[in-house]
Amino acid sequence: MAKVELKNLTIKFGAFTAVKDVNLTINDGEFVVYLGPSGCGKTTTLRAVAGLQGTTTGDILFDGQRVNDLTASERNIAMVFQFVSLYPHLSIAENIVFPLKARGLKRAEIARKLEWVTEIFKLGDELKRYPGALAPGTTQKVALARAVVREPAVLLLDEPLSAIDEQFREEMRWELGHLQRELGVTTIYVTHDQREAMSLADRIVLMNDSRIVQVDKPHDLFFDPNSVFAGQFIGSPSMNFMDLNPVSGGYRLGNSDIILSDKAVPDVVRRSHNPVRMGLRPRDLQLVDEPPEVGIDVTVDDIFSVGRERYFSFRVGDDIAQGIDVRSDVAGQGHNIAIRPEGLVFFDGKSGDRIATLGAGA
């Protein structure tokens, strides 16, 4: 296993900067997920760690050793791509041990490693079959087994579950997380799917526009976003955002007639000379039975269910906000909207950077 360090990493393609001044330390045995929209630089960063992509400036280190000039085969990494490529004319067992044979390992050592990885991935019943007879989830497990059997220092996964049907993906997410913890291999995983990132990662590296936006544990990234982008990208439904416009005794939300009491806003926000945007998760905006201590007066447009949760929506000027309906009497006509002050976060309206919060939001 290895500790991976990226120091001032920049990658350019002509005039286009794909990765800009990235600094990150990934600890030995850690499961780190790169998350972000398409084109943000996450796959380019992964390819640079793998040795498949050259760097413009900066260093990549494995356990303190600079590996920029080492080829992919010299770095002791294994990589699994989005679309699995198994040899169709070879059995599953032959596919798994192929990289071991290519390295010239002795037959006894190959047999030992095959037995070890077969037990970990629970593939004993599949070894004599061929790739064309496997379900998509099992095919991906074979690809992972083939990568892991080499006992790499670093395991790199480029959207390995995105080509799998949803019915298999949930199970594979659980299995992948379990396997990584059992193996203890340093793992870097790239995805644009926040569900995968939130369920798998020890830490998430959120990227946008070629830069790292925030590096945090999933819980902290969800509840304490450091920017408007982080709040928008993480969560489904997304965080609600509303501009705060000071009026007598409180703040008008956007260009609406909705007034938020000033007691819900911290002093640091009141003292701001720049425009302020307020963010809060739908879970912190609740439709309740009784008038709340801290709330707003709105007209509810719609009430709808997503799984076990019942949501409501309302307009804030030209925008739509969403919250959770927690009323016991769902047939009631009352529209009491409670705000959990500890869930409020505030951002600079110009830079989009975090200003303050009243609590952890947990």
Side-chain angles (χ1 to χ4, degrees):
M1 315 312 165
K3 180 172 79 171
V4 178
E5 297 173 89
L6 309 181
K7 295 188 174 181
N8 305 116
L9 185 68
T10 295
I11 301 172
K12 294 184 178 181
F13 300 105
F16 174 70
T17 301
V19 177
K20 187 169 185 178
D21 197 28
V22 164
N23 289 276
L24 181 70
T25 297
I26 300 170
N27 297 315
D28 190 351
E30 189 174 20
F31 196 137
V32 165
V33 176
Y34 270 80
L35 176 67
S38 298
C40 69
K42 55 188 186 295
T43 294
T44 303
T45 303
L46 189 78
R47 288 175 57 83
V49 173
L52 302 176
Q53 171 62 55
T55 63
T56 304
T57 59
D59 293 321
I60 302 171
L61 292 86
F62 287 8
D63 285 335
Q65 177 190 2
R66 187 176 183 272
V67 299
N68 292 48
D69 299 325
L70 298 182
T71 65
S73 61
E74 294 170 327
R75 296 189 188 193
N76 191 22
I77 61 96
M79 192 164 182
V80 177
F81 296 93
Q82 176 180 0
F83 297 103
V84 176
S85 179
L86 300 178
Y87 299 108
H89 63 289
L90 298 181
S91 69
I92 299 310
E94 290 169 328
N95 266 281
I96 292 173
V97 302
F98 185 86
L100 303 181
K101 288 184 176 180
R103 291 166 61 186
L105 268 65
K106 294 181 179 179
R107 184 177 299 178
E109 181 67 3
I110 291 175
R112 184 190 67 81
K113 286 178 175 287
L114 177 61
E115 182 180 3
W116 166 69
V117 80
T118 299
E119 176 62 27
I120 288 176
F121 284 86
K122 302 295 187 290
L123 289 169
D125 295 336
E126 313 290 347
L127 292 182
K128 294 182 179 180
R129 302 177 71 186
Y130 286 81
L134 300 182
T138 305
T139 301
Q140 200 71 2
K141 285 173 66 175
V142 173
L144 287 166
R146 184 176 61 182
V148 166
V149 75
R150 296 177 53 243
E151 298 185 68
V154 182
L155 178 61
L156 306 175
L157 305 173
D158 187 8
E159 304 207 42
L161 305 184
S162 61
I164 300 176
D165 292 341
E166 184 62 38
Q167 66 185 101
F168 300 108
R169 200 176 304 165
E170 196 73 37
E171 179 183 351
M172 277 301 298
R173 273 200 292 266
W174 182 89
E175 287 204 41
L176 184 56
H178 171 75
L179 290 167
Q180 194 277 337
R181 287 189 295 272
E182 185 172 345
L183 293 165
V185 62
T186 305
T187 301
I188 306 175
Y189 186 109
V190 162
T191 184
H192 63 272
D193 187 331
Q194 61 172 288
R195 291 175 300 173
E196 289 181 12
M198 297 295 281
S199 62
L200 288 171
D202 294 324
R203 284 188 301 158
I204 294 174
V205 180
L206 182 62
M207 291 192 72
N208 189 41
D209 291 336
S210 308
R211 297 176 180 268
I212 291 178
V213 175
Q214 186 170 351
V215 182
D216 249 321
K217 295 178 180 178
H219 176 279
D220 296 330
L221 186 60
F222 182 87
F223 288 109
D224 289 311
N226 66 4
S227 65
V228 168
F229 173 79
Q232 286 175 330
F233 197 83
I234 301 297
S236 181
S238 175
M239 176 174 274
N240 297 298
F241 291 96
M242 307 169 192
D243 293 326
L244 294 185
N245 301 304
V247 295
S248 177
Y251 290 84
R252 185 184 305 279
L253 303 184
N255 60 350
S256 71
D257 295 326
I258 304 170
I259 305 298
L260 175 68
S261 170
D262 62 2
K263 66 181 179 181
V265 178
D267 289 340
V268 67
V269 171
R270 296 190 188 102
R271 294 194 299 266
S272 176
H273 297 294
N274 289 338
V276 175
R277 297 193 78 188
M278 180 181 75
L280 73 165
R281 297 286 180 193
R283 69 188 293 274
D284 298 312
L285 187 63
Q286 299 180 347
L287 184 57
V288 295
D289 291 313
E290 301 296 334
E293 181 178 349
V294 178
I296 51 178
D297 184 16
V298 305
T299 299
V300 173
D301 283 349
D302 191 22
I303 295 174
F304 56 96
S305 294
V306 179
R308 292 182 297 177
E309 298 283 7
R310 195 168 61 248
Y311 288 87
F312 72 97
S313 63
F314 63 95
R315 292 191 174 274
V316 182
D318 296 328
D319 299 322
I320 296 177
Q322 294 181 335
I324 294 181
D325 182 0
V326 298
R327 295 172 301 168
S328 57
D329 180 10
V330 297
Q333 297 301 310
H335 288 167
N336 299 304
I337 311 299
I339 289 177
R340 296 176 67 240
E342 62 270 27
L344 294 176
V345 287
F346 301 91
F347 304 90
D348 186 291
K350 291 183 177 179
S351 68
D353 294 335
R354 177 76 168 270
I355 298 175
T357 181
L358 290 182

